[in-house]
Each structure stands twice: as C-alpha cells, then as structure tokens.
Amino acid sequence: MVEIHRTGFTQLTGKGAPRYGPCRANIIFVHGLGGHPRKTWEDTPIKPPAPGKLDRFRAALRSTSRTKRADDQNTGSGSTSSTSSNVFWPNDFLVDDLPEARVWTYGYNADVIGFFQAGNKNSISQHGRDLSVEIERDVMARNKEPIVFVAHSLGGIIVKDAIHRSETCRQRCRLVIFLGTPHRGAGIADWGKIAANLAVMALQDSNKSILDTLKVDSEVLDNIQENFINLLDKGGIKVHSFYETKGITGIKGLHGKVVNDFSSKLGLSQTIETVESIDADHRQMARCKCRTDSQYRKIHGVLKEFLLAGAPNGDGLMLQDSGLSSGGIAEIDPPVAIGALQPCHYIPMPRNPRFVGREAELDTLRQKLLRNDAVRNTALVGLGGMGKTQVALRLAYWVKDNEPEYSIFWVPALSEATFEQACAEIVKKLASGKSSGDENPKRLLRDYLNSPVAGKWLLVVDNADDHNLLSGSLANYLPESECGRTLFTTRSRKVAVDAAGSDVVELDKMSPQDAVSHLKESLIRKDAIRNSPDVEELLSELEYLPLAITQAAAYLNENQISVVEYLGLLRGTQQDMVSLMSREFRDKTRYKGSQNAVATTWLVSFEQIRRSESAAADLLAFISRIQPKAIPRSLLPQCESREEMTRAIGTLCAYSFLNNRGENKVFDMHSLVHMATRVWVDQCGHTTQEAEKAIRHVRNVFPDYEHENRFVWREYMPHAIKMLQDPEGQDVEERYRLCLSVGLCLWRDGRIKEAIKALEQCHQWRSSQYPEDHPDRLFSQHELAIAYDSNGQVKEAVDLLKYVVEVKGRVLAEDHPSRLASQHVLATTYMASGQVTWAIELLENVVKLQAQIYDEGHPYLSLSRDALKEAYATLKSGGKRLEKGSGTGGS
C-alpha cells in the first residue's frame, strides 16, 4: 500500500513497486484550493453501466468475459493503492493503464486565507516557487524523461508559475492538462467572483469573515498568465484545457459554475491549446468512479496520445487492455504496434478530377460531420448511380486538404470480405507494415478507433446497402468514439435510418446545369456539346443520373459518335436501349471489378430485396410490366395484410426505386430503373410468368366502363395500354378481356382510334378461339361495330353488325334482349349510311317485340321508339330508299 504524503511528492505504484528505470514520461497531479493530493482525485466506486445500455453498434455483441474483467478493474478490485475503499484513480487505474509512465502526486498547504495575495506566506507565488524547487530535487534529478502536469483548479496557476520559475522545468515540460483552472478574468470583479466561488467550495461555508480576508491581486495573476503564454509561444509545451459543464448544487452561497467557460481556457490557437468539456461540476471533474467515467476516458486518452506521439523510436506503443467498455483502448490479443503519430489517410481510390456540382450536399455533410456540435454518424442515401461514392470521395479529400488533424479511413461494405480486407489494409498501414498476428482486423481497427490515441477521424463506410450485413455480422465492428465521425453511403433508407437516425442526407439527380458540366468534363471532344439542343434531350432521357451520363460519355468517346446518334440508339428499340445501358466501362474512381453499367448497377439491390423481402420483389416484378410513372397504389397487387403491403412499398421507397408523390398515393420510378427491372426479370427466366400474372391482376382490378368509374380507369389506363403493347402473355384469355375493358373505356372518353385498336385485338383473338355463336365473341363484335360507326367507318360497322344479327338470329329467340339490341344498332348504322328503309323495317320489328317484354317508359323501348320516329322523319324529308334485296332486312 502506498502512503500519500500530504505535502511534497509521492510516486504512485499501483499494484507493483516504484520504478526508477527508464520510462516515457512523468505525470504529476497537482490539486487545487482546499484540496488534497489524494482526496481531490478520489471517489466512491460504482460498477459501470451494463453493456446493453451502450450504443447498439458497439455493445450488442461485446463478450461477457471482457465486461466482467472491466467490472473487476473498475471497482478497484485487488488494488493496493491505499487503505481507503474509495477509488483513487491515478493509482488504481492510471498506473496500470500507462505502465510506460511514472505517476506522481504533489501536495501543498492550500489554505484559503490570503491565497491570492502576492506577499502572503501562502501566496500563489510562494507555492509556485516551492513546486519548482521540489520538482527539480525529487523528480527531475532522478530521471530525464518529459513531464506532464495534470492540474485541478488553482493548482493550474501554481503549475504555470513553477514552469516560469524553473528553466529545467520549462525544458522538460511537454504537456499541461488543466481541469477547471481559472486562467483569466475581465478585471478585479471577475477574479473576485471566481475566488469567492473557490473559497465557498473549499470550505463549504459562506462565512463572511473568511470571505472578507480573501484578497485579489489581479496584477499577480495577469503576470503569471502573460509569462506562461510567452513560454508557449516559444514552442515545446502543449496545453489541454478542460472546462466544467455543470454547476455545483447544495452549497450555500454557490450558484452556477465555479469557473466560467471564458476563464477556463487560455484562448490560444488550436495548434497550442485544445479545449474540451467534461460533463461534471468543478469538483467532480477531477474524480472518477470507474474507467468508463467520461472524465477518466478523456484524461486517459490525452495522456495516452501524448505517450504514443512521444515514443523515442517513432513507432507506436503496444496497446494494453485497460478494460474500457466504451470509447477507450480495448483488448488486443496478441498486442499489436499501432501508433498514428500523424493523421493517417487510407482512401483506396484516387481523386476524381471530373467531379462537378453537389455543393449543397457537400456543405450539408461538412456541417453535420465537422462542426463543433457535429453528429457522430451521418448517412448519404440515394438511388444507385446517383454518385454517392463520388460525393463521399470528394468529401474525404476535402477533409484531408482542409482538416489536417483528421485521419481518414475508407471501408467498402459491399460484402463482409471487402470490409475485412479494407480493415486489414488500414491496420497494416497504422502498424507501419508490421503484422499484428490478429486474425480479426475488423476488431483490431474498431478497438483502435475507439481508443483516444486515434485522435480525430472520419470513417467512410461505402456501399452499406445490405441491412442484414450491417445489423448482423458487421454491427460489432463499427467504431463509436467522441473523436470520430462515420459517414455511411447507402441505397437503403432503412440502413440510413438505423445507422444515423434523422441525420440523413438525400442525394437526388443532378441539376441540368451540373449534368451538362459533368458530360462535358467526361468527353474527349468538349466541343461536341457546344450549343447543341440535343444535349438537353439526351440528359433528360438519362434522367440526369450521374452514372448514366458517365456511361454515355464513355460510349461516345469509344465509338466517336455524336450526341444525336447516341440519342437515336437510346430512343430505338428496347433491345438497343438495354444494350446501351448494360455496357460496362472503365472508371478509376470506382471499385475494381465493380459493375459500372447502369442496367446492372441495381441488380444487386434487386437480389437483396428478393432474398429478404419477397413481397417487395413481387411488386418490382409487377411494376416491370407497367408504366414507370404515376403508379396508383390501388393498382398494385395487394399483400396478405395491410402492414405487409406498407412494408413492401416502404422497402422499394427505401432503395429509392419508388418515389411517393405525397398524399395522393401515387408513385414514380426512374425509367432507367424500370428498364433494369425488366432486365432482372428476364435474367431470372420469369418474363412470361410475370407478364401473365400482371395481366390477370390488372384485368381483375380494372373498373367497368360505367361513368362513375371514369377517374379510376383514367389512372389505370396508361399501365393497361403498356401491358397490351407487350408481346408477352399473348395466349392469356384475361389479356383480351382487358383489351375489351380498355377499348370500352377509351370509347367513352372519346379516344375512338385507340379504342378500335384494343377492341380489334379482342375481336381477332376471340374469333380464332371461340365458335361464332359464343356470347363473348358476339359481344366483342357488337362493341367493335359501335366503335367503327363512331369513327365514321360505316361500311365496316354495317358488315360486322349484319353478321352479328345473322348469328344471333340463329341462336337466340326473336325477343331476346341481346338480339334486339344488335338489330337496333344495325338500324342506326343504316340510318347513318342513308339506308333509311332498312332502318325503319328493323326498328319497327324491334319496337314491336320490345313492347311485349318491357313496360311503358322502359329506356330501351323509349330509345327504339325515338330512333323509329327519327327514321320516319328522315324518310318523309326525302331520305334515300333502298330497293328490296339490297340489304339484309330484319332477321
């Protein structure tokens, strides 16, 4: 057990004996006003929070054995640091965690009375002088290693004065860590307030007689401050200033923070001073209950980083197991030499000199990742081919150029193998080419990035598209550190939300101006697009998709054709379009061996969806058969439950394959993605099967041609027409039922020519498949004849209706409503062609028979009577009369 001297120096031993051999540094702890060389740093022990309370990416799969070991160490189990049951963390934790350093405490008589006076026996100047003398005699005389001070509160002012007074101390001191030290005030009033706060905290009493004796000589304090800053300007000493974030409560006369934020920092440049918060009050910021306490992790991290950077041979130190369960140096077995003396950069792809635009998205990413209150995780999400990797690459090189304190690491998450390979390369780089002997580089890199020695870092996890992979086998290897920032690029909104919550940046198509610039930068012949109106048409056809533009430029460069020629191929047959969009090309700014073609870049995602979300895959296959724009939700095949349907649509939207227009429940798909879905279905060998399924479904949901259904059929019509133009599914009966429904609705919308095409398809198929007296065949002929008549094709209408009337005359009773209806239509067609006599003869027969089967006022009877009256009037006015035998007559 080590005995802590109340005054002077005590070397801490942890669980071992004092060491007097070579070490890397001397770490000296100096307490503040009313403090004690042990009690200032001492706290009651508690166990750290259970691993399940930690962030899910790091704690979910943490081993039980490590947690137990951390618990044992955090509670000081087996410690010989003192007889107290409290945690004296410089001895109980730090000595063992930093075996390469000697750890000391320094005590002095820190009475409050007259502490700020220059001439008092307890003045700051006297304490500074005593410290400078004793450190030269008791510490520096024994070894020649650098000195690091960890000073709490007013102890920091004593340290500054001692460094100024001792030349040897100035030469040996390399780092000072200030904990809540009042470096500066704005005059006597501010210094007085700080002094009063410290006195009240030290004595926990607001006795007026004590405060009255407290004198403030700001000139002394200002001189100490000025002398110390002059030393820092000469170089050699770094400063890390921690400020408190909480005020002390429960002490009479003390309100708010003891030392305000302004006073707790020197206000120097970042190259000299690092300023950081500790989430505790002034007193608690120097105390630690366990290794997972924020203050211990931060102070330990600063010290560890210093020791690594100060290694005599320039190599990194062996990372030791400190048992940190969060944000600290974790176990590496066997240990590996990793030491990033300077920021390290691993970006496996070169800069993209042709990159243009995306400034808004880049600025948003910089704000989220690099500002003072930056978030730890951000996701860049967008459709495949939108250029997420290129944006991330641009950001990585920007950080390298403009934020030199950041290390940058890049790992592709295309698969577990690519992730592990990148981790292995990074570990090798960090270890200066030495082999770690560790079979799991993913764990090794995670533990390094979780340790404070890693410093500030940006990790890019690119192509994080597979949710099962990210939430499964890789989840335990994603680092999480207060000093680190992670950018995920993904096609999956689900991955983006899981990884970054609301900190998601969406990447959409390029602006027309940026698209033109991108095409120009990618072409060998820049003048090929100068003032060319075809360029705008080409970019519109490519939907301003960066990958499609890059692929088009590669094709133009390789084949030396014009934009007009390429546009012609793109607008040619579907086979030409698929061939163009499926053509691979070389791009150094993309992964080696990756599929660069537009048509194939989404196939991996399609397969991921097929494996994990069969309902969403079914929707994709269906959409491949219809139009890609303005897709009503009600047209889509329904799942077994509403929730499953919502999830399936959500999956497609998450991959940006579908875009929701809003509350209208109408969706759009990029036309190039739509083309890729057809390629995917073809490659799966399900083209005919999916086409037939889609036809049957649309036929079942397509509405009747009643007027009240007009808004629904108008929404469905483009998709039904697209389906009827598809050569697949020619032998499915439902296809021709759909033809009939589409034709009837088109006719009622006045789209007569389109209606005739649909009705003719139905008529031709039924004529070849059904006998002549089949009701469906006769009905389709009847409706086609009406359409012919509406289109002015009277001869075609008469010929078809005469045939229908003749067949119905053989198979139906003379008063059958269907037979009478066809006779009525034939009569009106005769009227339209001027054959009034035949019209009158047919209508007289129709009226006679309808009067026998319908009540007076029935609409059919009324309609026929009105037609007969019109025929009589036409005849009376001189309408044409045909000779008998020239027409069919009533049958």
Side-chain angles (χ1 to χ4, degrees):
M1 293 182 291
V2 62
E3 180 182 354
I4 308 299
H5 303 306
R6 177 66 182 84
T7 60
F9 283 95
T10 305
Q11 182 179 348
L12 305 182
T13 62
K15 299 177 182 178
R19 294 186 300 116
Y20 297 102
C23 70
R24 289 183 176 268
N26 297 280
I27 301 173
I28 301 172
F29 284 80
V30 182
H31 61 79
L33 181 65
H36 187 278
R38 188 187 72 202
K39 294 180 180 178
T40 292
W41 317 100
E42 193 176 58
D43 206 347
T44 55
I46 63 169
K47 287 191 175 184
K53 300 293 184 182
L54 301 175
D55 188 277
R56 64 180 181 278
F57 278 108
R58 290 181 287 128
L61 301 177
R62 192 176 300 277
S63 67
T64 303
S65 60
R66 174 185 289 181
T67 303
K68 182 179 185 305
R69 181 169 63 256
D71 288 346
D72 292 342
Q73 293 181 351
N74 291 341
T75 56
S77 176
S79 171
T80 60
S81 60
S82 70
T83 58
S84 170
S85 62
N86 290 339
V87 174
F88 177 36
W89 66 268
N91 187 76
D92 295 347
F93 299 158
L94 197 68
V95 172
D96 293 331
D97 292 344
L98 300 178
E100 61 271 27
R102 293 189 183 92
V103 183
W104 308 75
T105 63
Y106 177 74
Y108 59 94
N109 184 2
D111 293 341
V112 65
I113 307 300
F115 194 87
F116 278 92
Q117 287 183 276
N120 188 276
K121 65 179 180 180
N122 292 325
S123 69
I124 286 178
S125 298
Q126 184 60 53
H127 285 305
R129 186 178 295 109
D130 290 346
L131 175 57
S132 67
V133 171
E134 292 184 58
I135 197 172
E136 290 185 5
R137 181 185 65 234
D138 297 334
V139 177
M140 291 188 290
R142 298 186 183 187
N143 59 75
K144 305 299 181 182
E145 285 74 29
I147 291 175
V148 176
F149 287 102
V150 181
H152 180 237
S153 192
L154 283 175
I157 297 179
I158 295 174
V159 167
K160 291 192 292 185
D161 189 64
I163 294 173
H164 168 66
R165 291 177 181 277
S166 169
E167 176 68 25
T168 306
C169 194
R170 289 198 299 273
Q171 293 176 352
R172 298 272 293 278
C173 181
R174 290 293 176 267
L175 173 67
V176 184
I177 298 176
F178 294 108
L179 302 173
T181 295
H183 293 294
R184 52 184 178 162
I188 292 293
D190 279 354
W191 281 120
K193 182 178 180 181
I194 293 171
N197 287 340
L198 291 168
V200 171
M201 186 195 71
L203 301 180
Q204 296 191 19
D205 195 336
S206 58
N207 187 291
K208 189 174 185 298
S209 63
I210 295 176
L211 295 180
D212 285 344
T213 63
L214 188 63
K215 303 296 183 181
V216 177
D217 189 339
S218 63
E219 184 177 353
V220 173
L221 299 173
D222 289 344
N223 286 339
I224 292 174
Q225 174 78 345
E226 183 178 353
N227 291 334
F228 185 66
I229 289 178
N230 288 336
L231 292 175
L232 296 180
D233 289 339
K234 296 178 182 179
I237 301 176
K238 301 295 183 183
V239 170
H240 203 108
S241 296
F242 286 102
Y243 64 91
E244 62 216 64
T245 63
K246 298 179 180 179
I248 291 182
T249 59
I251 299 179
K252 184 179 179 181
L254 186 57
H255 305 285
K257 297 180 181 180
V258 173
V259 179
N260 59 44
D261 295 350
F262 172 78
S263 297
S264 61
K265 58 186 176 182
L266 294 165
L268 303 177
S269 68
Q270 293 183 359
T271 58
I272 298 176
E273 180 187 26
T274 301
V275 179
E276 190 174 357
S277 69
I278 284 183
D279 190 26
D281 61 37
H282 187 78
R283 182 167 49 192
Q284 196 62 36
M285 71 190 305
R287 298 175 175 176
C288 304
K289 297 177 183 292
C290 59
R291 281 185 168 92
T292 59
D293 273 2
S294 171
Q295 48 266 47
Y296 181 75
R297 288 189 287 118
K298 290 187 176 185
I299 297 169
H300 170 270
V302 175
L303 293 171
K304 187 68 180 181
E305 183 176 13
F306 167 79
L307 292 173
L308 286 169
N313 61 1
D315 292 334
L317 297 175
M318 295 268 188
L319 299 185
Q320 305 293 333
D321 177 18
S322 66
L324 298 183
S325 59
S326 174
I329 303 173
E331 178 184 17
I332 298 177
D333 184 23
V336 59
I338 291 184
L341 306 182
Q342 299 294 331
C344 178
H345 305 113
Y346 178 78
I347 309 173
M349 290 177 289
R351 297 175 190 263
N352 184 356
R354 299 189 300 273
F355 184 92
V356 296
R358 302 302 198 186
E359 289 303 323
E361 291 86 354
L362 284 166
D363 185 62
T364 301
L365 290 173
R366 286 191 286 261
Q367 289 293 319
K368 284 184 174 294
L369 291 166
L370 303 175
R371 66 189 181 193
N372 292 334
D373 58 341
V375 296
R376 293 185 184 179
N377 297 327
T378 299
L380 181 64
V381 65
L383 178 69
M386 281 297 178
K388 299 180 295 297
T389 295
Q390 299 306 315
V391 171
L393 192 64
R394 183 75 161 193
L395 177 70
Y397 278 108
W398 185 93
V399 172
K400 181 181 179 182
D401 295 340
N402 295 276
E403 301 289 342
E405 71 273 22
Y406 273 85
S407 293
I408 304 168
F409 305 107
W410 186 293
V411 291
L414 294 160
S415 65
E416 187 168 1
T418 62
F419 188 93
E420 183 167 349
Q421 182 180 1
C423 290
E425 291 296 326
I426 295 170
V427 168
K428 183 178 179 181
K429 186 177 181 71
L430 288 170
S432 301
K434 300 175 183 177
S435 173
S436 67
D438 194 321
E439 296 181 357
N440 192 343
K442 303 189 296 293
R443 178 171 65 87
L444 191 58
L445 179 60
R446 176 206 63 192
D447 293 344
Y448 171 74
L449 294 179
N450 280 343
S451 69
V453 70
K456 294 182 178 181
W457 50 263
L458 170 65
L459 174 67
V460 179
V461 182
D462 191 32
N463 285 329
D465 303 326
D466 190 337
H467 182 268
N468 292 333
L469 183 65
L470 266 291
S471 63
S473 58
L474 296 187
N476 199 40
Y477 300 109
L478 295 172
E480 192 80 18
S481 166
E482 292 182 0
C483 297
R485 304 290 180 260
T486 302
L487 172 63
F488 297 86
T489 74
T490 178
R491 305 178 186 187
S492 169
R493 189 174 298 274
K494 184 175 184 180
V495 170
V497 172
D498 281 357
S502 61
D503 294 299
V504 174
V505 178
E506 297 186 14
L507 194 65
D508 204 350
K509 61 185 180 182
M510 301 186 84
S511 68
Q513 296 82 1
D514 288 343
V516 171
S517 299
H518 179 39
L519 179 61
K520 182 177 180 180
E521 288 295 321
S522 303
L523 287 175
I524 296 175
R525 295 177 54 193
K526 313 293 185 186
D527 59 345
I529 64 171
R530 185 177 300 168
N531 300 323
S532 173
D534 302 302
V535 170
E536 184 176 345
E537 293 185 40
L538 172 61
L539 296 175
S540 178
E541 287 284 340
L542 298 176
E543 300 212 29
Y544 304 100
L545 190 69
L547 181 59
I549 297 171
T550 303
Q551 184 179 26
Y555 192 90
L556 291 171
N557 289 335
E558 180 181 348
N559 296 282
Q560 298 182 13
I561 64 173
S562 67
V563 170
V564 175
E565 291 175 282
Y566 188 87
L567 191 57
L569 291 172
L570 196 61
R571 289 174 171 171
T573 65
Q574 179 174 312
Q575 183 177 357
D576 285 339
M577 182 181 182
V578 170
S579 177
L580 283 178
M581 295 296 101
S582 301
R583 186 174 294 274
E584 294 290 338
F585 63 96
R586 180 186 173 94
D587 188 346
K588 293 181 179 180
T589 62
R590 292 173 63 84
Y591 296 106
K592 292 182 179 180
S594 65
Q595 293 179 320
N596 297 331
V598 172
T600 56
T601 191
W602 299 300
L603 296 184
V604 173
S605 297
F606 293 160
E607 283 300 305
Q608 288 173 351
I609 292 172
R610 185 183 62 81
R611 291 193 300 268
S612 62
E613 193 74 50
S614 60
D618 289 343
L619 290 184
L620 264 181
F622 171 77
I623 293 171
S624 72
R625 316 317 303 176
I626 63 175
Q627 285 284 7
K629 306 297 182 183
I631 305 169
R633 176 171 177 152
S634 58
L635 179 63
L636 299 174
Q638 299 301 301
C639 301
E640 292 184 1
S641 69
R642 183 177 179 183
E643 188 279 331
E644 186 181 13
M645 184 69 179
T646 300
R647 189 173 68 249
I649 292 175
T651 297
L652 299 184
C653 290
Y655 277 90
S656 298
F657 291 146
L658 282 184
N659 297 310
N660 195 340
R661 289 190 179 183
E663 297 181 358
N664 295 330
K665 295 184 180 179
V666 175
F667 302 92
D668 294 318
M669 175 181 280
H670 282 272
S671 59
L672 296 180
V673 175
H674 186 258
M675 178 270 298
T677 63
R678 295 179 70 90
V679 172
W680 171 60
V681 172
D682 289 345
Q683 289 184 352
C684 293
H686 299 154
T687 304
T688 302
Q689 176 185 345
E690 294 299 337
E692 292 177 354
K693 281 173 56 179
I695 288 170
R696 292 188 179 98
H697 171 71
V698 174
R699 168 62 189 91
N700 289 334
V701 300
F702 203 89
D704 294 334
Y705 50 87
E706 301 297 333
H707 183 69
E708 59 268 21
N709 295 330
R710 64 191 183 281
F711 296 112
V712 177
W713 83 51
R714 288 170 185 169
E715 278 192 311
Y716 292 3
M717 188 63 71
H719 307 289
I721 291 176
K722 171 75 172 178
M723 195 169 288
L724 296 178
Q725 293 170 344
D726 194 331
E728 297 293 339
Q730 295 281 358
D731 298 328
V732 179
E733 181 179 1
E734 285 85 350
R735 176 189 183 98
Y736 303 100
R737 293 184 180 275
L738 180 60
C739 282
L740 181 64
S741 296
V742 166
L744 294 176
C745 292
L746 287 171
W747 179 79
R748 279 155 180 77
D749 268 342
R751 299 165 63 177
I752 306 301
K753 293 186 182 300
E754 295 171 272
I756 289 174
K757 290 182 180 180
L759 293 171
E760 283 180 338
Q761 281 193 52
C762 179
H763 164 59
Q764 291 167 4
W765 187 84
R766 288 183 173 180
S767 295
S768 66
Q769 299 294 321
Y770 298 156
E772 65 176 4
D773 59 350
H774 193 286
D776 288 346
R777 174 175 172 175
L778 292 171
F779 180 77
S780 61
Q781 291 169 333
H782 176 95
E783 296 300 326
L784 176 58
I786 294 175
Y788 280 150
D789 186 46
S790 300
N791 195 44
Q793 297 175 254
V794 178
K795 183 180 184 304
E796 290 85 348
V798 169
D799 291 343
L800 193 54
L801 282 168
K802 285 167 61 177
Y803 175 78
V804 170
V805 167
E806 180 185 349
V807 174
K808 286 184 177 181
R810 294 200 306 266
V811 299
L812 299 176
E814 68 172 356
D815 61 349
H816 192 284
S818 177
R819 177 176 174 178
L820 295 175
S822 295
Q823 290 175 346
H824 174 100
V825 174
L826 177 58
T828 58
T829 306
Y830 279 148
M831 287 280 293
S833 63
Q835 302 176 64
V836 181
T837 301
W838 290 118
I840 291 174
E841 190 170 330
L842 276 174
L843 286 170
E844 286 176 341
N845 183 62
V846 169
V847 170
K848 173 186 172 184
L849 294 173
Q850 284 180 337
Q852 297 173 9
I853 63 174
Y854 295 135
D855 296 331
E856 284 295 326
H858 191 282
Y860 290 172
L861 178 58
S862 300
L863 191 62
S864 296
R865 282 174 174 171
D866 290 341
L868 182 57
K869 289 179 183 178
E870 183 181 352
Y872 286 150
T874 302
L875 182 62
K876 186 177 181 180
S877 64
K880 184 177 179 181
R881 178 184 179 88
L882 294 182
E883 295 295 331
K884 281 196 173 185
S886 62
T888 301
S891 47

